[in-house]
Amino acid sequence: MKQNNTFHPALRVIHWLMAAAIMAMLFIGVAMVATVSSSHSLLVAIHKPLGLMILLLVAVRLWLRFTTAKPALPATLPGWQKLLAHLSHWALYAMMLAQPLIGWGMLSAAGYPVTLGSMVLPPVVPVSNAAYAFLRPLHSWVALALFMTVMLHLAAALFHALILRDGVFSSMAGSCKGKRSTPRALDNPADGQ
Amino acid sequence: MNKPSLSTRQKLARLAIVAVIPLLLIGLFLWAGGWLAPKRLTSDKLVAALEKSGGNHPGYRRNHAKGVCILGDFFASGNASTLSRAALFAPGVTPVVGRFAIAGGNPNAPDYTVPVRSMALAFYQKNGEQWRTGMNAMPFFPVQSVQSFYDLQSATLPDAKTGKPDPAKIQAFVQQHPEIKPFFAWAKQYVPSSSWASDRFNSLNAFNFIDAEGNSHLVRWSMVPHADYQPIEAKEKGDTNFLQSDLQQRLAQGPQKWDLIITVAGPHDRGNDATVVWPADRQMINAGTLIINKTTPQQHGACNDINYDPLILPNGITASDDPLLNARSSAYAKSYNARTYEQAGAH
């Protein structure tokens, strides 16, 4: 049976699209709540629809993740690193899914209309001071946790790409042109050591 | 194909890249959030300055802390629907949850010590959109920019020893910000009214009304009272809550009314300077009548958990380029987050 070296192309596209969107969201979020400049309302106006787009993308992504084959981690990777890799990925998925819902929920709890263009979206949580007081700080904490996990994910990806060179990075980045026929690190665990 | 193994030097250089890229991003993130730029004016600093002058009152708004809820409806005449396509301006009735307050961060301040009063309103359109507006009973704003507002707050902070603002600091502020002179002149001669019901509340900031064709009109608005102005009297100066008692008495006799008057900017009027009143000959449109039937205490009242963010706008109204609007939105959110959190922890 043929072992895939790379993730499904659709999953790779969605990964990089979401990487850009999530980084933008985290920076926009932290900047918009602090700034009193005229960029405040512009950032808020980007933050809400972009969050909704991420919510839709993560749903498609989870579906693809469960329905397409995924490349195995190299056998050379120590068990604890594999465990860490799996845990961090599930943490990322959980936060990517939860964060837009928390954002939508906190706006609903505060009684703000959640609008997308001229469309008004339904509230997902009843108006409640207690719910807002819980969800609003949670939105900040999840943002910080998500940012730090993304930074660890990035450091690990760079470590695989530049030092281990074991094919983990290219499984998401895509393979180099013209090297399709060459046996790759994933097939040859001794490589890259 | 075997990749050539890395020399120790190569490994170290690459390891440095692995560490530096995320660290740079973390630094950029901290900078974006204002943590690495201590001189930048942030919503935190604005709210902290208000807290310093108003005192520490957990669970209350950081400004305009003392107030009451009001309930009623807006009856649109339809006259403003040529300027704005917002549903609430079409002839019809829109429910309103509002709030009367006095300026300042002290929820226990005697009413007669605070000349500036405010009216905040949330209009609930049938389609789920809302219009929230916070207006003040003064003709124009003291300063044009956010930094000036912050500097004004800092300059008027009560001195630790005397408990009163330091005249030297205020003097220095006026020298740097001569644009505040008209406001001080107005404040000096202003005699507050004896009632919220007879106050005229002004948006101060400018906004854009967007009509059905998508054209933008620069406007300001005022709630103009039906009740006649009566100056504050000696007996009211002995009652710390005379505004609330007066409102209750008036509402027991009948609803209180204001006309929503829209002022349309002339071709040379600017939207980004709330210190300047537009000339009196500008076009004015009566958009309809606000009728208030009921008042309740703010504690557990319908208005208490509403953040009257002036940038919660329905389709048909947008923000102007007035720099104060963004700062109000950002700082109101900070205050809202803090007080809702304190309230939830209180019980």
Side-chain angles (χ1 to χ4, degrees):
Chain A
M1 192 185 137
K2 185 177 162 280
Q3 169 71 51
N4 277 328
N5 286 331
T6 57
F7 283 96
H8 190 279
L11 203 57
R12 281 186 277 150
V13 168
I14 228 169
H15 166 272
W16 290 106
L17 205 60
M18 284 190 71
I22 289 174
M23 285 303 280
M25 270 311 258
L26 289 163
F27 276 90
I28 288 172
V30 80
M32 77 181 194
V33 296
T35 188
V36 290
S37 76
S38 51
S39 50
H40 170 79
S41 54
L42 175 70
L43 294 175
V44 174
I46 300 171
H47 194 82
K48 291 179 190 174
L50 193 56
L52 205 64
M53 192 190 89
I54 290 174
L55 183 61
L56 295 176
L57 283 177
V58 76
V60 176
R61 184 169 177 187
L62 282 169
W63 172 71
L64 280 171
R65 175 70 175 70
F66 284 114
T67 53
T68 61
K70 80 177 181 68
L73 286 168
T76 47
L77 217 56
W80 68 270
Q81 284 187 23
K82 280 186 182 166
L83 181 70
L84 204 62
H86 288 304
L87 283 179
S88 65
H89 281 95
W90 287 114
L92 283 169
Y93 283 130
M95 287 189 278
M96 286 188 285
L97 185 63
Q99 186 68 340
L101 291 172
I102 296 170
W104 190 346
M106 67 179 222
L107 292 177
S108 305
Y112 293 114
V114 184
T115 50
L116 185 68
S118 57
M119 202 168 60
V120 181
L121 304 179
V124 289
V125 169
V127 176
S128 147
N129 183 75
Y132 182 79
F134 171 71
L135 292 171
R136 178 60 191 84
L138 186 66
H139 198 59
S140 294
W141 287 115
V142 172
L144 290 179
L146 179 56
F147 182 69
M148 289 319 293
T149 316
V150 169
M151 289 303 104
L152 286 174
H153 176 80
L154 172 65
L158 288 169
F159 192 70
H160 280 284
L162 297 174
I163 295 176
L164 296 180
R165 298 178 295 164
D166 54 6
V168 167
F169 184 76
S170 54
S171 69
M172 188 51 90
S175 51
C176 304
K177 279 170 202 150
K179 289 191 180 174
R180 290 294 303 176
S181 57
T182 329
R184 300 263 316 266
L186 287 178
D187 305 317
N188 179 7
D191 198 358
Q193 290 298 295
Chain B
M1 188 186 81
N2 282 322
K3 292 183 179 122
S5 57
L6 299 169
S7 70
T8 313
R9 240 180 109 166
Q10 275 176 314
K11 265 191 186 168
L12 282 175
R14 288 175 175 218
L15 210 54
I17 296 174
V18 170
V20 161
I21 292 178
L23 286 175
L24 270 178
L25 284 168
I26 290 172
L28 202 62
F29 187 77
L30 292 174
W31 174 83
W35 292 288
L36 292 185
K39 281 194 171 169
R40 194 194 308 159
L41 184 54
T42 60
S43 51
D44 267 336
K45 279 194 196 171
L46 267 185
V47 171
L50 292 168
E51 280 171 350
K52 258 195 222 165
S53 75
N56 187 25
H57 304 283
Y60 286 92
R61 284 163 217 264
R62 272 23 183 192
N63 198 0
H64 295 249
K66 186 182 184 186
V68 295
C69 295
I70 48 175
L71 298 167
D73 297 284
F74 176 65
F75 292 78
S77 62
N79 294 341
S81 50
T82 52
L83 290 176
S84 168
R85 63 188 176 213
L88 71 105
F89 291 124
V93 185
T94 305
V96 172
V97 176
R99 187 173 177 270
F100 279 132
I102 57 173
N106 180 4
N108 308 312
D111 291 343
Y112 50 83
T113 58
V114 182
V116 172
R117 303 176 190 149
S118 61
M119 171 194 259
L121 301 171
F123 297 70
Y124 292 84
Q125 291 187 175
K126 282 190 193 74
N127 68 352
E129 287 184 299
Q130 294 175 30
W131 180 31
R132 298 188 186 180
T133 174
M135 294 162 285
N136 282 292
M138 56 193 194
F140 48 88
F141 203 69
V143 288
Q144 187 192 356
S145 75
V146 187
Q147 184 67 48
S148 308
F149 179 75
Y150 179 74
D151 293 344
L152 176 64
Q153 291 300 318
S154 311
T156 53
L157 275 183
D159 187 83
K161 278 182 198 156
T162 62
K164 286 185 175 172
D166 179 352
K169 278 188 186 166
I170 296 178
Q171 197 66 40
F173 179 85
V174 176
Q175 264 173 4
Q176 281 172 353
H177 299 272
E179 77 270 19
I180 201 170
K181 281 180 184 163
F183 182 80
F184 281 157
W186 169 81
K188 207 171 175 182
Q189 54 76 45
Y190 178 62
V191 181
S193 78
S194 61
S195 174
W196 271 316
S198 63
D199 279 337
R200 175 196 168 114
F201 299 95
N202 304 305
S203 70
L204 307 181
N205 303 122
F207 290 79
N208 296 310
F209 272 11
I210 313 296
D211 65 25
E213 280 78 46
N215 301 314
S216 179
H217 309 271
L218 188 65
V219 300
R220 285 174 177 163
W221 55 77
S222 302
M223 280 291 179
V224 179
H226 285 203
D228 290 331
Y229 168 88
Q230 295 280 332
I232 188 168
E233 284 171 25
K235 67 172 164 49
E236 280 137 5
K237 290 188 178 167
D239 181 355
T240 53
N241 298 319
F242 77 88
L243 286 172
Q244 302 180 27
S245 351
D246 165 81
L247 186 66
Q248 278 166 356
Q249 278 169 22
R250 283 176 189 254
L251 286 172
Q253 279 155 28
Q256 299 299 307
K257 299 177 185 178
W258 288 258
D259 286 333
L260 174 58
I261 305 294
I262 312 292
T263 306
V264 185
H268 303 294
D269 293 336
R270 288 186 303 149
N272 65 357
D273 190 350
T275 65
V276 176
V277 180
W278 294 340
D281 65 351
R282 294 294 179 254
Q283 185 193 4
M284 293 193 191
I285 291 171
N286 187 338
T289 306
L290 173 72
I291 301 188
I292 296 299
N293 312 303
K294 198 181 164 196
T295 176
T296 70
Q298 61 175 351
Q299 242 49 24
H300 308 292
C303 71
N304 200 39
D305 298 339
I306 296 177
N307 169 14
Y308 289 97
D309 176 341
L311 294 185
I312 304 288
L313 301 166
N315 187 345
I317 309 179
T318 62
S320 69
D321 56 352
D322 188 329
L324 297 171
L325 282 173
N326 277 282
R328 286 177 68 187
S329 180
S330 190
Y332 284 26
K334 258 313 160 206
S335 157
Y336 183 64
N337 294 347
R339 68 191 174 86
T340 48
Y341 188 74
E342 291 155 0
Q343 271 185 63
H347 47 72

